[in-house]
Amino acid sequence: MKTRSQIKLGFFILFYFTCFFLFCSLIIRFNERQFYRRMAAVVAESEEPSNTLYALKEPSKEAISSGISILERYGYDGHLLTWKERAIVLLFALSTICPLFAILFFSQYKHTKFRIQELTKYLKQINSGTYPLHPYETEDEFSLLEDEIYKTVSALKESHNKAVSAKENLAKNMADISHQLKTPLTSLSLIVELMQQYTEKPELKQLTEQMLNQTDHLRSLVISLLNLSRMDAGILQFIPKEIIIEELLFSAAEPILPVLKEKQQTFQMQGNLDCSLFCDIGWTIEGIGNILKNCSEHTPNKGSILVSVFQNPIYTEIQIEDNGEGFTPVELPHLFERFYKGKHSAKDSIGIGLALSKSIIERQNGEIRAENRMEGGARFRIKFYKI
């Protein structure tokens, strides 16, 4: 299937070669006319015109050789046109041929550039999650590449749909499992509390207290795994709302205040605390809370945790620092990996908190990274970019 531009180009080439053929015919006819006129002059000056005409019609090799010698003696080199006339004809021929090649080159360049732009646009749509059909419906030198891209896109789309379906099924199964686990865990907690009420032995009270702590820890683990599976499947919805950062940080620190008090750790905030942040309040509180909890766990008794807030036209940054032992070079690349436990991690840590925080922040057009402070201790830098 040919495009309209290709048909027009074909007609133009046909017209051009027709004109070029006519031009060549005119050149030949011009040379013949020049030869005819000069021979007429030679015949008119000849003493025996009949001999001259006979020699012109059926020349012998001896006559041709003898005539060439005579012509060369008088300065004739076998050309009918002078060097100026020949230069004019050559320039005219070049001026006729060069535009054709220029037009062909420009047309091919324009078409190639257009097709490359179309294929680039097509690939960008694929990267953005859109899977359109053929962007260009004509046959040309790019059609084979386009067909291969389309086949690859179709395979990727099918693979993507299968992956999404598998993630949704996994999230559903995790939700079912967590729901099934919540009931026995709640029952177990009630049983342990009753055991505490009906026993008076200190040893049993201590054991029941440990059982209750482990039950709460197990319930927290189930909820974290459920949230991660939902986030992986892309079915976890974020509802952004505006909130003052100071209020957000107080809410995130509230669950760990008893731990801070027990370890005699100080918690301070500074910077642009009165600025606002547009985010999902509940999930953001959980994400920041996990980081604050991590800092508290790795900060010694009577240590300190400092939260600094910075804001500019591009992003809002929250820095969380502690004066603990910091990170080792081995730990830094793996801090936000799931189920990764550092060298100084708590015994009951399972390595989900930081991974969940990273997912929550990145889902809200943000980023997080960890580093060591020059003065010692850890620093988490969270940036929420403005849309």
Side-chain angles (χ1 to χ4, degrees):
M1 182 179 179
K2 295 185 179 297
T3 62
R4 186 175 299 176
S5 60
Q6 289 175 328
I7 295 174
K8 289 182 179 179
L9 182 61
F11 276 115
F12 173 79
I13 294 174
L14 179 62
F15 173 76
Y16 179 85
F17 276 110
T18 302
C19 295
F20 187 73
F21 174 76
L22 292 175
F23 168 74
C24 292
S25 300
L26 290 174
I27 294 297
I28 294 172
R29 180 58 185 152
F30 177 74
N31 280 275
E32 290 177 342
R33 189 168 179 271
Q34 290 290 94
F35 174 78
Y36 187 77
R37 287 169 59 86
R38 294 188 183 187
M39 283 307 302
V42 171
V43 170
E45 297 294 333
S46 176
E47 295 180 355
E48 295 291 336
S50 60
N51 293 337
T52 304
L53 293 173
Y54 179 78
L56 178 62
K57 187 174 183 180
E58 294 181 4
S60 64
K61 292 182 179 181
E62 294 79 4
I64 292 173
S65 177
S66 176
I68 289 174
S69 299
I70 295 172
L71 290 172
E72 288 178 349
R73 207 181 312 157
Y74 286 92
Y76 291 96
D77 56 359
H79 296 287
L80 294 176
L81 303 178
T82 64
W83 67 271
K84 290 183 178 180
E85 291 173 333
R86 292 198 299 270
I88 292 172
V89 172
L90 181 60
L91 289 174
F92 185 77
L94 290 175
S95 65
T96 308
I97 295 174
C98 290
L100 172 65
F101 287 103
I103 291 172
L104 290 175
F105 174 79
F106 179 75
S107 177
Q108 183 63 29
Y109 170 77
K110 186 177 180 182
H111 176 71
T112 302
K113 183 178 180 181
F114 173 75
R115 293 293 282 120
I116 291 175
Q117 288 176 346
E118 287 292 315
L119 291 176
T120 303
K121 180 180 177 181
Y122 186 48
L123 292 174
K124 286 182 179 179
Q125 288 177 325
I126 295 172
N127 290 333
S128 64
T130 305
Y131 298 89
L133 297 177
H134 288 283
Y136 199 69
E137 296 296 337
T138 58
E139 294 293 335
D140 58 8
E141 63 273 16
F142 289 93
S143 297
L144 181 60
L145 176 61
E146 186 181 46
D147 290 338
E148 292 300 321
I149 291 176
Y150 180 74
K151 292 176 184 178
T152 304
V153 168
S154 299
L156 289 174
K157 184 176 182 180
E158 184 179 356
S159 177
H160 173 74
N161 291 336
K162 288 182 179 179
V164 171
S165 178
K167 286 183 177 181
E168 289 177 351
N169 291 333
L170 175 62
K172 183 179 179 181
N173 293 334
M174 288 292 293
D176 293 339
I177 293 173
S178 64
H179 180 72
Q180 296 296 326
L181 286 173
K182 284 180 182 179
T183 302
L185 285 173
T186 303
S187 300
L188 184 59
S189 298
L190 292 174
I191 293 172
V192 172
E193 290 177 359
L194 289 174
M195 290 176 62
Q196 284 182 323
Q197 293 178 5
Y198 288 100
T199 183
E200 296 181 356
K201 294 183 178 181
E203 297 84 359
L204 290 178
K205 282 184 175 293
Q206 184 178 2
L207 289 174
T208 53
E209 184 67 28
Q210 293 177 357
M211 290 175 61
L212 190 61
N213 292 336
Q214 291 301 318
T215 303
D216 292 338
H217 179 66
L218 184 58
R219 184 186 295 107
S220 176
L221 173 61
V222 170
I223 294 173
S224 297
L225 289 174
L226 176 60
N227 291 335
L228 279 175
S229 63
R230 285 177 175 174
M231 204 163 295
D232 287 341
I235 61 175
L236 196 62
Q237 293 186 350
F238 286 79
I239 304 175
K241 292 183 180 179
E242 190 173 15
I243 185 174
I244 302 299
I245 288 188
E246 185 175 16
E247 180 183 347
L248 179 72
L249 295 176
F250 269 125
S251 300
E254 187 176 0
I256 66 167
L257 290 179
V259 179
L260 296 176
K261 185 177 181 180
E262 180 182 352
K263 298 179 70 173
Q264 298 182 351
Q265 295 173 342
T266 60
F267 176 73
Q268 295 179 332
M269 297 186 295
Q270 66 179 15
N272 299 339
L273 298 175
D274 56 344
C275 66
S276 60
L277 183 67
F278 201 68
C279 63
D280 185 290
I281 298 174
W283 286 113
T284 307
I285 287 174
E286 180 168 349
I288 296 177
N290 289 338
I291 298 172
L292 291 172
K293 180 182 177 183
N294 182 275
C295 290
S296 176
E297 290 175 352
H298 294 83
T299 300
N301 293 343
K302 297 184 179 180
S304 62
I305 299 174
L306 175 64
V307 181
S308 304
V309 180
F310 309 93
Q311 192 174 55
N312 58 45
I314 301 175
Y315 58 82
T316 300
E317 181 175 0
I318 301 174
Q319 292 187 9
I320 303 176
E321 303 174 337
D322 63 51
N323 60 350
E325 66 272 10
F327 307 112
T328 65
V330 178
E331 291 176 329
L332 273 173
H334 308 285
L335 281 177
F336 300 102
E337 294 179 3
R338 296 177 187 181
F339 308 110
Y340 177 78
K341 296 179 65 174
K343 181 179 179 181
H344 303 288
S345 298
K347 293 182 179 180
D348 58 349
S349 174
I350 54 175
I352 290 182
L354 292 181
L356 182 59
S357 296
K358 184 175 185 293
S359 298
I360 291 172
I361 293 168
E362 290 182 348
R363 281 284 302 273
Q364 299 184 94
N365 196 32
E367 66 175 10
I368 180 173
R369 63 186 180 92
E371 60 188 19
N372 287 315
R373 299 171 62 220
M374 295 281 295
E375 308 85 355
R379 177 189 290 121
F380 290 89
R381 301 185 65 177
I382 306 169
K383 293 181 180 180
F384 290 97
Y385 291 92
K386 300 178 181 180
I387 301 175

XYZ file of all heavy atoms in Angstrom, residues 62 69 117 164 182 231 239 241 246 260 270 276 294 328:
112
model
N 40.546 5.190 -45.999
C 41.666 6.026 -46.441
C 41.255 7.491 -46.481
O 42.027 8.394 -46.064
C 42.147 5.577 -47.823
C 42.776 4.185 -47.853
C 41.729 3.072 -47.853
O 40.516 3.397 -47.917
O 42.116 1.902 -47.733
N 43.754 14.128 -41.002
C 45.083 14.761 -41.006
C 45.000 16.192 -41.499
O 45.649 17.107 -40.938
C 46.032 13.955 -41.910
O 46.182 12.635 -41.429
N 10.342 9.180 14.305
C 9.570 9.900 15.323
C 8.322 9.119 15.713
O 7.962 9.060 16.903
C 9.191 11.288 14.804
C 10.354 12.259 14.710
C 9.954 13.586 14.090
O 8.880 13.705 13.488
N 10.808 14.587 14.223
N -0.109 -8.902 36.462
C -1.072 -8.139 37.257
C -2.106 -9.070 37.869
O -2.472 -8.947 39.050
C -1.761 -7.070 36.391
C -2.921 -6.433 37.139
C -0.751 -5.992 35.997
N -6.278 -13.428 61.909
C -6.659 -12.431 62.911
C -7.559 -13.021 63.991
O -7.420 -12.702 65.179
C -7.375 -11.263 62.229
C -6.451 -10.325 61.493
C -7.229 -9.191 60.844
C -6.299 -8.265 60.064
N -7.054 -7.171 59.394
N 0.284 -3.469 48.075
C 1.043 -2.445 47.372
C 1.683 -3.022 46.111
O 1.734 -2.373 45.061
C 2.108 -1.869 48.299
C 2.554 -0.480 47.918
S 3.410 0.339 49.270
C 2.120 0.477 50.482
N -5.252 8.217 49.209
C -6.170 9.357 49.124
C -5.433 10.581 49.655
O -5.351 10.792 50.860
C -7.453 9.093 49.926
C -8.123 7.800 49.454
C -8.416 10.271 49.792
C -9.329 7.398 50.261
N -4.443 14.168 50.944
C -5.069 15.306 51.627
C -3.964 16.227 52.140
O -2.824 15.803 52.326
C -5.948 14.831 52.793
C -7.189 14.058 52.365
C -8.030 13.682 53.574
C -9.284 12.914 53.158
N -10.104 12.528 54.349
N 4.060 19.505 60.914
C 4.252 19.331 62.365
C 3.235 18.344 62.922
O 3.578 17.460 63.722
C 4.127 20.682 63.071
C 4.438 20.602 64.561
C 4.424 21.963 65.210
O 3.876 22.922 64.595
O 4.941 22.090 66.340
N 10.577 5.875 73.639
C 11.497 6.992 73.828
C 11.634 7.348 75.308
O 12.742 7.626 75.802
C 11.019 8.215 73.039
C 10.977 8.092 71.514
C 10.384 9.352 70.901
C 12.364 7.837 70.946
N 12.584 20.594 63.943
C 12.985 21.945 63.592
C 12.771 22.167 62.094
O 12.502 21.230 61.349
C 14.464 22.172 63.933
C 15.415 21.324 63.099
C 16.867 21.583 63.437
O 17.204 22.181 64.448
N 17.770 21.126 62.563
N 2.797 22.831 54.686
C 1.852 21.736 54.494
C 2.387 20.731 53.483
O 3.253 21.036 52.658
C 0.504 22.266 54.030
O 0.634 22.956 52.805
N 12.864 2.725 63.692
C 14.180 2.185 63.374
C 15.284 3.010 64.024
O 16.264 2.460 64.563
C 14.356 2.163 61.852
C 15.679 1.562 61.414
O 16.687 2.248 61.352
N 15.676 0.272 61.114
N 26.858 0.356 58.384
C 28.112 -0.144 57.838
C 28.044 -0.070 56.307
O 26.950 -0.032 55.732
C 28.357 -1.599 58.261
O 27.337 -2.438 57.688
C 28.326 -1.730 59.777
